[in-house]
């Protein structure tokens, strides 16, 4: 059950946006933008797409949904927001972020662009224990900081 919250069977973007809005309110940042992209199979790069190996990886069902977030807040608020992303019930991988302080002083609000991803697996909506085991191995072995503490083995 916990894995289905971390990696749901569908994109569930509206629920993610509500969760991000709650985190923004709690931490005091302004959530200016949430821009998701189309899901893409995990592990299938452009070179492998259309190959047998790419098809095998895609058949596992794990898909990444790239998301761009833009927030604004003080350094302390921004740090709390970034830390809060690690504790979301929905697993989120932060790939990078850029600060745009402009002319802001050291304690004044500034803008932060966050490049992140969430994951989904349509196979989790069915009774395919093998797919769930593959996702759990992926989460435990490849992405140790991706899963909330209660989900880790």
């Amino acid at each position: 059950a916990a894995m289905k919250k971390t990696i749901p069977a569908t994109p569930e973007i509206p629920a993610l946006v509500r969760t991000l809005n709650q985190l923004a309110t709690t931490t005091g940042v302004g959530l200016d933008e949430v821009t998701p992209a189309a899901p893409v199979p995990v592990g299938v790069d452009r070179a492998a797409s259309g190959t047998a190996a790419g098809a095998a990886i895609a058949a596992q069902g794990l898909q990444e949904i790239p998301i761009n977030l833009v927030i604004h807040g003080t350094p302390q608020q921004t740090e709390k927001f970034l830390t809060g992303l690690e504790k979301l019930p929905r697993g989120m991988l932060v790939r990078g972020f850029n600060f745009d302080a402009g002319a802001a002083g050291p304690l004044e609000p500034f803008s932060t662009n966050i490049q992140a991803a969430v994951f989904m697996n349509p196979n989790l909506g069915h009774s395919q224990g093998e797919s769930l085991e593959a996702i759990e191995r992926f989460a435990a072995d490849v992405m140790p900081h991706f899963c909330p503490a209660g989900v880790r083995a």
Side-chain angles (χ1 to χ4, degrees), residues 9-122:
T10 60
E12 298 186 17
I13 298 301
L16 177 64
V17 171
R18 284 190 298 276
T19 302
L20 291 171
N21 274 321
Q22 290 171 344
L23 178 60
T25 300
T26 301
T27 59
V29 302
L31 182 61
D32 300 327
E33 182 180 321
V34 178
T35 309
V40 293
V42 169
V44 182
D45 60 18
R46 289 184 184 148
S49 65
T51 67
I57 293 169
Q60 290 296 317
L62 185 63
Q63 298 178 28
E64 175 180 334
I65 304 169
I67 295 181
N68 189 60
L69 305 171
V70 179
I71 63 169
H72 69 273
T74 65
Q76 295 81 11
Q77 292 167 330
T78 300
E79 180 182 9
K80 286 179 185 176
F81 184 84
L82 289 169
T83 300
L85 290 177
E86 296 177 353
K87 298 175 184 173
L88 294 178
R90 172 87 182 256
M92 179 175 283
L93 175 64
V94 175
R95 297 201 179 277
F97 50 88
N98 307 60
F99 301 114
D100 183 11
L107 301 177
E108 294 179 31
F110 57 87
S111 179
T112 303
N113 184 310
I114 304 166
Q115 302 84 42
V118 293
F119 298 85
M120 63 173 271
N121 186 340

